[in-house]
Amino acid sequence: MENVLGFVALAAGLIIGLGAIGACIGIGIMGSKYLEAAARQPELMNELQTKMFLLAGLIDAAFLIGVGIAMMFAFANPFVLQ
């Protein structure tokens, strides 16, 4: 029982940590591409900014869904018999 709880804690940490790393890398790449596109065509800056913020919200939402799943496994684990 306690061995399973240790693996659950490890899995929850990996889900949150790897999700955070992926979200940060994704937003960083997206931000750099936005700056490149805005430098090439400044007249499209407003449209590009709107799309960038929409995608940033979707990337963060995917990360927060992973955090929610990790918290479910940490606090209400369906795999542990009680």
Side-chain angles (χ1 to χ4, degrees):
M1 174 85 173
E2 292 192 21
N3 192 14
V4 173
L5 293 178
F7 285 133
V8 169
L10 181 64
L14 284 174
I15 290 171
I16 294 171
L18 294 176
I21 289 171
C24 290
I25 290 172
I27 288 177
I29 292 171
M30 182 186 56
S32 71
K33 297 298 181 180
Y34 164 71
L35 290 176
E36 288 178 15
R40 289 177 190 251
Q41 294 183 336
E43 66 272 6
L44 294 177
M45 190 180 299
N46 290 333
E47 293 177 29
L48 293 172
Q49 186 178 22
T50 303
K51 292 176 184 174
M52 185 192 74
F53 284 135
L54 178 67
L55 287 174
L58 290 173
I59 291 170
D60 280 341
F63 166 64
L64 289 177
I65 289 170
V67 170
I69 291 171
M71 292 296 112
M72 179 191 73
F73 285 143
F75 295 114
N77 193 349
F79 298 118
V80 175
L81 298 174
Q82 301 192 5

